Amino acid sequence: MTDTVGRGVNPTDNDVLIAVMGLTGSGKSTFINLATQSPNKLQVGHSIQSCTDAVECADTFDLDGRRIVLFDTPGFDDTNKSETEILRIIAFELEKQYRRGQTLHGIIYVHRISDLRVGGLAKTNFGIFRELCGESSLRNVVIMTNMWSRLSTEMEGRRRVAELASLDDFFKPAMAKGAVMMHHTKDTVDSAHAVIGHILKNHPIALDIQKEIVDQHKDINQTGAGMALDKKLAQLAHRYELRLKAQFEAAEQARHERDEETMKEQLEEAERVRQLLEKLEEEKRNQARQYQLLQEQFADSEAEREREQAIHEAEEGSHPEARAAEARLRQEAETAERRRAQEKADLEERTRNMHMAISSPSHSARDRNDRDSGKIKYRSIISGETYTLYNKKHELFATLERDNKYLRMKGYEKDARKQWVFESDDGNNWSIKSVQTEQYICVTSQGTLRADTTLFPTLWRLSKISRMRYGFRISSNNWDEYDGRVISVRQLSSRYVQEGARINLYDKVGGDEEIWIIETP
């Protein structure tokens, strides 16, 4: 998380890393400034506007012989950024730390005790927070009540604490899993350090979102936090749709009553709601791709750092080939920079076209599937025949993991490439079956790809790449939630070349990751 603000803090294995989370205006930044007593204060908001729209690292301080590193995070109700952006920011910073071998000792979730009631926003956002942490890491969570000075009496605060701890849809389930509630009743350094001191005895634990993204290779939408946020956004979209319908009905009623002014007002409001709905849907579509871009940029920056280190070692060394190594590494750095610029331009172009649906196979006279000797065909793919799935960008073949559950990329010898049988009854919808296991490529309820023995396999659309003889995109066809998403290789680093990169569904179009060369072995 240190890359966000650049205060020069590089956590070590002996440091105590603590994230401070909570709603906007709950007092996170004020608490951190009080605890650190640093002259370099984090910005504190005194209005409804959020001041923290990125993960910020405060100056370190010592407590009981340990160096403490506190991270301030934006709330999911941030006024400057959408909830999808906030999840992306927090998840990415957590991922970077996890990839560097560092995990949090604890999380302080700040809640205003002065709030008269707990609304749906607070409950929903705490639910996303729980999914981000995961059940096993809740024992490292401190739920800290704050702003006691705003209450008329301490007894009123104690009453509210009892109520908070009893709510089945708020703090109670987390506390049952090990989270503890503490109270920052006095705005003093000792009070703040008492909360932090409780965390010092914790063993660092990886959060669920870190394990899901790094270890399980899920995209951000498939994580527990991502799905919880998606559910919330789906409910919000439904409310927008109902409001839009109501505005149009009111405008139509005003038209019948010849009330031009009211009709104009209703149509203007309907347009505003329509734009909100459109923006919300666009954010949901772009979330995974935007997160992937962050991952790619991070991978490039890490590679650049390793190259610079190698160049420095070459300059310092006395090996006779040091100068040649330096020149080679500098050339690689320049090539990487050009590649990043091209990828950025490609991403901008793909993002502009993201709203366009993936087209199904053409049914024109030239491209329509035909029947030839009783066999269903689509542009060189024949039902019942065996083919290989070769990824154009990564130049590897699709296969199954050793447990025959998930799809991965591997390199194979020529005689081992017989992999998949394409079957169709009408030439429009195709099933894809493994030759070795006779299992079909299916979409799970979480949207991941899995090999399964089933009577009702997922059906797929084949979209021909006009400039390639055997190039296709393969998109899902019979899962409403995932309809139109393409089979894609999201990322493939040098480490994955050995392990096999996970293949998944992804709602993008235009990149080489989802172009498959389907050929007869």
Side-chain angles (χ1 to χ4, degrees):
M1 298 180 207
T2 58
D3 297 333
T4 304
V5 293
R7 291 189 178 221
V9 178
N10 293 304
T12 68
D13 293 339
N14 295 323
D15 292 340
V16 177
L17 310 185
I18 302 173
V20 183
M21 299 186 180
L23 293 179
T24 298
S26 60
K28 302 186 296 292
S29 301
T30 300
F31 173 82
I32 292 174
N33 288 336
L34 182 65
T36 63
Q37 288 295 290
S38 170
N40 299 318
K41 303 293 185 183
L42 300 180
Q43 188 176 1
V44 176
H46 297 288
S47 67
I48 60 174
Q49 293 294 316
S50 170
C51 289
T52 305
D53 60 2
V55 177
E56 295 188 88
C57 178
D59 286 345
T60 62
F61 65 99
D62 291 335
L63 181 63
D64 295 341
R66 308 283 295 278
R67 191 169 85 144
I68 311 300
V69 184
L70 296 178
F71 299 102
D72 192 9
T73 62
F76 281 101
D77 59 335
D78 189 275
T79 53
N80 300 319
K81 294 185 180 295
S82 68
E83 291 168 307
T84 56
E85 289 178 288
I86 297 303
L87 177 60
R88 190 160 65 240
I89 290 168
I90 294 175
F92 181 58
E93 297 299 328
L94 290 170
E95 178 188 347
K96 287 194 295 186
Q97 287 292 346
Y98 189 57
R99 289 192 183 278
R100 292 167 176 168
Q102 295 166 337
T103 48
L104 296 173
H105 286 69
I107 300 178
I108 299 173
Y109 188 87
V110 183
H111 176 76
R112 292 183 297 256
I113 193 66
S114 56
D115 287 352
L116 295 178
R117 65 183 184 88
V118 179
L121 177 64
K123 292 178 180 179
T124 301
N125 287 345
F126 187 72
I128 297 173
F129 168 79
R130 281 187 57 193
E131 293 292 343
L132 182 144
C133 294
E135 299 291 282
S136 62
S137 60
L138 285 173
R139 62 179 179 271
N140 279 7
V141 170
V142 172
I143 300 170
M144 187 191 80
T145 61
N146 197 27
M147 299 187 178
W148 283 68
S149 61
R150 298 186 179 184
L151 300 178
S152 56
T153 64
E154 186 171 322
M155 184 176 297
E156 171 65 14
R158 298 298 173 187
R159 185 190 65 78
R160 293 187 184 182
V161 165
E163 181 181 356
L164 290 172
S166 66
L167 293 175
D168 291 329
D169 55 352
F170 199 35
F171 291 150
K172 184 178 179 180
M175 295 172 67
K177 295 294 183 179
V180 299
M181 184 179 290
M182 300 184 70
H183 313 297
H184 184 43
T185 57
K186 306 294 184 182
D187 294 329
T188 64
V189 176
D190 288 342
S191 176
H193 285 183
V195 176
I196 296 170
H198 177 83
I199 295 176
L200 295 183
K201 64 178 182 294
N202 290 349
H203 295 290
I205 299 177
L207 306 183
D208 265 17
I209 197 166
Q210 293 174 311
K211 294 183 287 187
E212 288 170 323
I213 291 175
V214 178
D215 299 334
Q216 301 170 25
H217 311 298
K218 292 182 178 180
D219 70 38
I220 192 169
N221 291 338
Q222 295 168 335
T223 65
M227 289 190 289
L229 177 57
D230 191 63
K231 180 179 179 180
K232 176 184 177 180
L233 295 180
Q235 293 170 345
L236 180 59
H238 180 63
R239 290 200 294 270
Y240 281 158
E241 289 169 352
L242 293 179
R243 284 175 57 187
L244 188 62
K245 180 181 178 182
Q247 296 299 149
F248 280 129
E249 289 176 348
E252 180 65 16
Q253 180 65 28
R255 187 182 69 82
H256 281 300
E257 296 174 356
R258 301 183 182 277
D259 187 345
E260 296 292 335
E261 183 177 350
T262 300
M263 183 180 72
K264 181 181 178 181
E265 290 175 353
Q266 295 295 341
L267 290 176
E268 288 176 349
E269 177 64 15
E271 175 60 18
R272 189 184 70 84
V273 175
R274 186 195 65 78
Q275 291 177 359
L276 288 172
L277 180 61
E278 192 174 84
K279 181 180 178 182
L280 181 64
E281 293 297 334
E282 184 178 3
E283 288 173 356
K284 290 169 62 179
R285 286 195 302 268
N286 291 346
Q287 173 76 317
R289 178 56 191 162
Q290 293 295 334
Y291 192 85
Q292 184 188 0
L293 177 61
L294 290 175
Q295 291 176 315
E296 292 170 351
Q297 291 173 340
F298 175 64
D300 286 342
S301 66
E302 289 291 281
E304 181 68 21
R305 183 179 61 83
E306 292 175 0
R307 281 192 293 270
E308 290 177 354
Q309 182 178 353
I311 291 173
H312 177 72
E313 292 174 353
E315 291 173 343
E316 293 292 327
S318 58
H319 194 279
E321 297 181 356
R323 291 184 180 276
E326 177 184 353
R328 184 178 67 254
L329 290 169
R330 290 192 185 281
Q331 184 178 11
E332 290 176 356
E334 292 173 358
T335 302
E337 181 62 31
R338 288 194 296 270
R339 178 175 59 80
R340 284 196 298 271
Q342 183 61 47
E343 287 179 348
K344 182 179 180 181
D346 292 344
L347 173 62
E348 291 173 352
E349 179 65 24
R350 290 199 297 270
T351 302
R352 283 194 294 269
N353 297 327
M354 187 73 75
H355 66 280
M356 298 176 60
I358 299 173
S359 60
S360 59
S362 171
H363 295 286
S364 65
R366 180 173 59 87
D367 292 337
R368 185 178 298 125
N369 303 321
D370 57 23
R371 297 180 180 273
D372 181 17
S373 302
K375 292 184 177 181
I376 304 297
K377 298 177 63 180
Y378 174 64
R379 301 292 298 275
S380 77
I381 304 299
I382 301 176
S383 177
E385 295 289 332
T386 302
Y387 297 91
T388 60
L389 280 173
Y390 183 75
N391 185 265
K392 177 181 178 296
K393 178 175 182 178
H394 301 296
E395 300 181 347
L396 294 171
F397 290 86
T399 187
L400 296 178
E401 288 182 336
R402 290 182 179 178
D403 59 5
N404 294 325
K405 290 183 179 179
Y406 295 100
L407 281 76
R408 285 190 180 273
M409 300 302 299
K410 289 285 186 179
Y412 281 91
E413 296 298 328
K414 203 165 188 178
D415 60 353
R417 293 178 178 176
K418 289 187 177 181
Q419 293 291 318
W420 309 102
V421 176
F422 283 67
E423 298 176 336
S424 177
D425 291 331
D426 59 1
N428 297 322
N429 303 311
W430 297 76
S431 63
I432 306 175
K433 182 172 64 174
S434 168
V435 172
Q436 288 86 345
T437 66
E438 295 192 349
Q439 294 174 310
Y440 292 92
I441 300 177
C442 293
V443 183
T444 70
S445 58
Q446 288 78 37
T448 58
L449 291 181
R450 190 181 179 103
D452 193 21
T453 302
T454 175
L455 295 176
F456 304 97
T458 297
L459 299 178
W460 304 92
R461 292 195 299 268
L462 303 181
S463 300
K464 189 74 179 67
I465 306 298
S466 59
R467 66 183 184 276
M468 299 179 191
R469 184 176 181 184
Y470 301 107
F472 293 83
R473 287 192 178 91
I474 307 173
S475 55
S476 58
N477 195 48
N478 62 347
W479 285 73
D480 292 343
E481 186 177 0
Y482 304 101
D483 189 35
R485 294 190 178 185
V486 294
I487 297 180
S488 175
V489 182
R490 290 192 55 255
Q491 58 177 282
L492 186 65
S493 68
S494 58
R495 180 167 64 87
Y496 294 139
V497 171
Q498 301 299 324
E499 299 176 3
R502 180 67 60 83
I503 305 173
N504 218 326
L505 279 186
Y506 201 55
D507 54 351
K508 63 176 181 177
V509 62
D512 287 345
E513 289 111 334
E514 77 260 7
I515 294 180
W516 298 95
I517 309 301
I518 305 176
E519 294 180 290
T520 303

